[in-house]
Amino acid sequence: MGSLLHNNREELVTSHLQVLSSVLESPRHAEQSLVRSYTSAFNGFAAVLSKEQATALAEKAGVLSVFPDPVLNLHTTHSWDYLEKDLAMTGSSYRKPKSSGADVIIGFLDTGIWPEAASFNDKGMGPVPSRWKGACVKGEGFNVSNCNRKIIGARYYSGGEDDDLVTSIKPKSLWPQSRTARDYQGHGTFTASTAAGSFVENANYNGLANGTARGGPASSSTRIAMYRVCGLDYGCPGVQILAAFDDAVKDGVDIVSISIGGNQADFVNDPIAIGAFHATQKGILVVSSAGNAGPDSQTVVNTAPWIFTVGAASIDREFLSNVVLGNGKIIQGKGITFSNLSQSAVHPLVYAGSIPDKSSNLVAARNCLLESLDTSKAKGNVVLCIANDTAASKQIMKITVQDAGGVGMIFVDDLQIFEAYDSGTFAATTVNTSSATEIFSYINSTRNPVATITPTKVVTNYKPAPVIASFSSRGPGGLTQNILKPDISAPGVNIIAAWDPPNTFIDTDFSDTVLSGTTSTSFNMMSGTSVAVPHVSGAAAFLKSMNPTWSFSAIRSALMTTAIVRNNVGKLLTNESDISGTPFDFGSGVVNPIGALQPGLVYETSIDDYFHFLCNYGLDSANIKLIAANQSYKCPSGAKVDVISNMNYPSIAISKLNIVNGSTTVSRSVTNISPDLTPTYKVTIGAPPSLNVKVSPEILQFSKTAKKLSFDVVFTATKVATKGYVFGTLVWSDGKHNVRTPFAVNLV
């Protein structure tokens, strides 16, 4: 997937057919094999080949990589208000500007869009920007007229077909609904409205959390271009993702928002990394999800340094459904229930592990696995189930209790307690282990324990918040640990946004959590890192609209260095078990769009920095020439993995530092973009006991001519150092701006 030496599509397609002919029997077979040519953002193609043919193709001169087409996965009324409120926890004095700023176009690679949703009305919006070169493509149930001044583009990619290269052997979707930009899954509608939706009053989830749904601070001037790359019956194929990137660059988007991921592939074999690289070359910011494989370490995906990688955190809104015990104690629970269970504690309470079915066992019963409970002992009871040590979903556990005749259930779950499980009209709530201990104590204190579960109440200004979501994938990155990932976190728990209308066919086979209750409105609630992504995309659009001359690396830097690292009780961000987090959990912190308007200094990362990264990662000059479309490019001397730490990135990561006399130096440059042309910045270092950190110089004096200054950071292991990762921060301050840079160092 190299860069373009020219953009003549006919010549590029001809060259693709020629190289295919060299490994196939004839030009005719080459034409039948070719699925799609990529000719706008980069030079490449997709083709149907045998393993042997693919191997032969990979050995041809001028071929950078050949890889199987991967099928990747899809990873509100309050969240933007939460991000934009007075930011008292950070002491910021910045406020949202009254002006909506310049037009910004976000391209979404997702499941499509439901254009009739109120969130996509274009009331008050000006004409479509003249620079827009995209199109609204007619499809099944979708007409050109479905686009407006909010939705200015919509394309779809059906099972890998190329409109220009249709042959009988190419894969086609079995669903007519896949041959359209219309969204029949809900995910794309949700993400697009979260980032850029218009104001919609009285939005709620089945009557709960009523408020005004909207997109980011610049949503009134943010345009949407939807690229449907995921289908009902074939996931999100790499061939379609690459096609969408190719079109998005040609169409003229400013930001690509892609809430998709899979197992982290090598950068030159990963369709998201490849497409994002070439988009970045054209000045486009690519925002993508960290993944939903947390809380295990080294699970983060989309880790290329040219991708803005986003983790998920909670907001200060909770859905509380409490447990009332017979002794009068009220145990706080979380969840969504619309049951009519008695408000008095009159229902018998039983621990599932004490009532196993004869054909089952204690472990299966305590986890409420299917057919594990004795129905004669569960009937009419509120059943306490342990969700901490089972892979069974809460939906399965609920079915188990319902089938056994239970009238309600209590989940014990420390990891997913912040994700509101919707049990519909069946009474259910979730408590943590500490609260469960109180319930067990009560059960054991009386011969006839009783309880009830209260209907859900929505609470705002909940503390502590934000909290890092347990499902949010953690660093370090698996391909290189010399870039700190994820980059940032954003609201991604219990977010309400636009959805397909009721009774629309919805396929929820993706890794984000969609509530199980049937929504009666055109809004839904969802959790996942792909829900966090559009918050960052919307924040980036806001910064670009207010500062059109800022580069997207400057925007990324501004968002990272001003991110929130303390919660609303003044403590360092924690996970759902109330344990302090690290940059591997939350990156630089939780996005703060208003504070990012005035970052003071930014770390500018250039395209050459990314070329150098690939050299240090292990690619040779010949391959870099293909990527760069620059025949004179040469990798710098001394290229090696450790040098990656020197990339001018807004965070610092060092994969290996010897604890015995180990020392390493990294360099950074910062650019002053504040109105004050002559500020003086002083550094404050927050280092752990096992590291001695020195910055030189300790003072940066900017001037009208010296807008960009450099500094070195020397990391040295101390005598008390032990093996493992340690973390800290550098903060440059001029008294008005605090430019925060986290670091992660692995002591070996």
Side-chain angles (χ1 to χ4, degrees):
M1 293 294 175
S3 287
L4 296 167
L5 294 174
H6 59 81
N7 59 2
N8 185 306
R9 175 171 173 79
E10 184 176 348
E11 290 183 15
L12 289 169
V13 172
T14 299
S15 69
H16 299 162
L17 291 170
Q18 288 174 343
V19 72
L20 274 174
S21 297
S22 68
V23 297
L24 297 174
E25 296 178 12
S26 67
R28 180 175 64 84
H29 286 90
E31 291 179 0
Q32 292 177 333
S33 171
L34 186 62
V35 173
R36 182 179 293 275
S37 284
Y38 307 108
T39 60
S40 296
F42 47 89
N43 182 14
F45 61 86
V48 179
L49 297 171
S50 68
K51 183 177 180 180
E52 292 75 16
Q53 291 165 341
T55 300
L57 182 63
E59 296 173 353
K60 295 291 182 180
V63 175
L64 176 62
S65 65
V66 177
F67 54 91
D69 182 16
V71 177
L72 305 183
N73 303 310
L74 291 161
H75 274 175
T76 131
T77 57
H78 184 65
S79 58
W80 281 110
D81 291 333
Y82 172 62
L83 290 178
E84 293 175 23
K85 66 182 182 179
D86 289 349
L87 300 173
M89 69 183 88
T90 64
S92 172
S93 62
Y94 303 146
R95 296 294 183 268
K96 179 183 175 182
K98 295 180 180 179
S99 171
S100 61
D103 285 296
V104 178
I105 304 168
I106 304 179
F108 296 88
L109 276 60
D110 217 296
T111 64
I113 196 163
W114 196 268
E116 294 84 3
S119 293
F120 305 129
N121 79 80
D122 62 356
K123 183 179 179 180
M125 299 192 74
V128 174
S130 59
R131 59 190 173 87
W132 176 244
K133 306 301 180 186
C136 274
V137 177
K138 184 179 179 180
E140 191 77 26
F142 193 98
N143 297 312
V144 174
S145 60
N146 287 125
C147 287
N148 56 17
R149 290 170 296 178
K150 169 61 75 174
I151 305 172
I152 63 172
R155 297 181 184 272
Y156 69 92
Y157 309 87
S158 181
E161 293 182 34
D162 189 325
D163 294 338
D164 299 330
L165 300 164
V166 177
T167 70
S168 59
I169 69 167
K170 299 198 175 81
K172 293 184 178 181
S173 171
L174 300 177
W175 293 87
Q177 294 93 333
S178 291
R179 295 191 287 275
T180 178
R182 183 171 290 278
D183 185 8
Y184 288 96
Q185 294 167 274
H187 194 276
T189 299
F190 195 102
T191 57
S193 64
T194 300
S198 301
F199 284 68
V200 182
E201 296 181 352
N202 297 317
N204 60 77
Y205 177 73
N206 287 336
L208 296 175
N210 192 69
T212 299
R214 64 182 178 91
S219 58
S220 61
S221 59
T222 303
R223 318 297 180 132
I224 294 169
M226 178 57 68
Y227 301 83
R228 183 176 179 175
V229 297
C230 304
L232 292 168
D233 56 339
Y234 54 79
C236 311
V239 61
Q240 298 182 180
I241 291 170
L242 286 167
F245 269 113
D246 200 36
D247 283 337
V249 170
K250 177 182 63 178
D251 291 345
V253 305
D254 300 305
I255 298 169
V256 167
S257 188
I258 175 169
S259 297
I260 297 172
N263 295 327
Q264 183 66 67
D266 199 279
F267 299 124
V268 295
N269 296 324
D270 177 358
I272 294 179
I274 292 168
F277 184 90
H278 293 289
T280 302
Q281 279 188 287
K282 303 295 184 180
I284 298 169
L285 177 67
V286 179
V287 187
S288 193
S289 44
N292 297 333
D296 293 340
S297 65
Q298 209 164 327
T299 51
V300 62
V301 297
N302 295 321
T303 58
W306 50 85
I307 295 176
F308 200 3
T309 312
V310 184
S314 69
I315 57 177
D316 67 343
R317 178 182 62 198
E318 286 294 344
F319 297 81
L320 302 184
S321 179
N322 297 331
V323 179
V324 181
L325 302 177
N327 61 6
K329 279 192 174 182
I330 299 176
I331 307 297
Q332 186 183 94
K334 298 180 180 181
I336 294 177
T337 178
F338 301 97
S339 81
N340 57 2
L341 205 63
S342 170
Q343 297 301 290
S344 301
V346 298
H347 306 283
L349 173 64
V350 65
Y351 168 48
S354 67
I355 56 169
D357 185 74
K358 292 180 180 179
S359 62
S360 186
N361 57 67
L362 174 63
V363 174
R366 73 193 297 266
N367 295 150
C368 293
L369 303 185
L370 289 174
E371 300 181 345
S372 64
L373 302 180
D374 185 333
T375 56
S376 66
K377 296 178 180 179
K379 187 174 181 180
N381 282 253
V382 173
V383 182
L384 179 68
C385 303
I386 308 299
N388 276 332
D389 57 352
T390 177
S393 69
K394 287 182 178 177
Q395 184 70 3
I396 294 296
M397 299 171 76
K398 171 192 163 186
I399 292 171
T400 299
V401 174
Q402 282 183 303
D403 288 350
V407 297
M409 66 185 302
I410 303 167
F411 300 100
V412 181
D413 187 351
D414 291 311
L415 290 181
Q416 296 181 354
I417 188 170
F418 280 82
E419 299 167 58
Y421 172 69
D422 180 1
S423 59
T425 57
F426 184 72
T429 191
T430 303
V431 301
N432 60 24
T433 298
S434 176
S435 296
T437 300
E438 292 189 64
I439 299 175
F440 277 118
S441 177
Y442 166 67
I443 291 174
N444 294 329
S445 71
T446 178
R447 294 182 62 182
N448 298 299
V450 291
T452 194
I453 298 169
T454 63
T456 300
K457 291 186 178 180
V458 180
V459 176
T460 55
N461 198 29
Y462 185 86
K463 297 178 180 179
V467 171
I468 303 306
S470 64
F471 59 77
S472 188
S473 291
R474 270 44 173 194
L479 296 181
T480 175
Q481 296 186 18
N482 289 306
I483 296 291
L484 203 165
K485 292 286 183 171
D487 291 311
I488 202 166
S489 296
V493 179
N494 300 335
I495 305 301
I496 295 174
W499 197 252
D500 296 358
N503 304 317
T504 301
F505 174 75
I506 300 290
D507 169 57
T508 57
D509 187 20
F510 43 79
S511 56
D512 293 308
T513 303
V514 179
L515 296 186
S516 60
T518 302
T519 179
S520 59
T521 69
S522 294
F523 288 86
N524 209 341
M525 186 182 294
M526 195 160 72
S527 297
T529 54
S530 68
V531 178
V533 166
H535 284 95
V536 174
S537 300
F542 172 52
L543 295 191
K544 186 66 174 178
S545 71
M546 302 307 300
N547 302 279
T549 61
W550 284 13
S551 71
F552 279 112
S553 72
I555 288 173
R556 176 180 64 184
S557 175
L559 290 169
M560 289 175 66
T561 60
T562 61
I564 296 167
V565 293
R566 294 194 176 274
N567 58 29
N568 55 4
V569 295
K571 295 183 178 180
L572 187 69
L573 295 176
T574 63
N575 61 23
E576 291 179 345
S577 299
D578 201 32
I579 298 172
S580 294
T582 74
F584 285 156
D585 300 319
F586 52 72
S588 295
V590 175
V591 66
N592 175 6
I594 306 302
L597 276 174
Q598 298 186 44
L601 308 177
V602 294
Y603 294 86
E604 292 270 21
T605 310
S606 69
I607 295 300
D608 280 346
D609 287 328
Y610 298 134
F611 291 146
H612 297 341
F613 165 83
L614 291 171
C615 292
N616 292 320
Y617 181 68
L619 271 67
D620 58 25
S621 294
N623 284 325
I624 302 295
K625 287 178 182 178
L626 292 175
I627 297 172
N630 181 351
Q631 296 305 306
S632 63
Y633 181 85
K634 290 185 179 180
C635 283
S637 60
K640 57 181 180 179
V641 171
D642 292 346
V643 181
I644 291 173
S645 297
N646 268 326
M647 176 182 283
N648 202 45
Y649 211 72
S651 58
I652 298 171
I654 298 171
S655 62
K656 293 180 181 179
L657 181 64
N658 199 304
I659 61 173
V660 181
N661 300 320
S663 182
T664 191
T665 301
V666 299
S667 300
R668 290 291 188 272
S669 296
V670 284
T671 303
N672 177 33
I673 60 172
S674 68
D676 182 358
L677 300 180
T678 60
T680 301
Y681 280 83
K682 296 181 180 180
V683 70
T684 300
I685 302 168
S690 49
L691 273 185
N692 183 15
V693 181
K694 291 186 177 181
V695 177
S696 179
E698 295 180 343
I699 297 176
L700 297 176
Q701 179 63 63
F702 293 88
S703 68
K704 294 181 180 179
T705 55
K707 296 181 179 180
K708 184 175 183 179
L709 298 176
S710 299
F711 61 91
D712 293 332
V713 188
V714 182
F715 296 91
T716 307
T718 66
K719 293 181 180 180
V720 298
T722 56
K723 292 182 179 180
Y725 267 101
V726 293
F727 308 91
T729 58
L730 308 176
V731 180
W732 289 98
S733 179
D734 66 346
K736 299 178 182 178
H737 311 93
N738 294 308
V739 185
R740 184 179 178 278
T741 304
F743 60 77
V745 179
N746 187 21
L747 297 168
V748 296

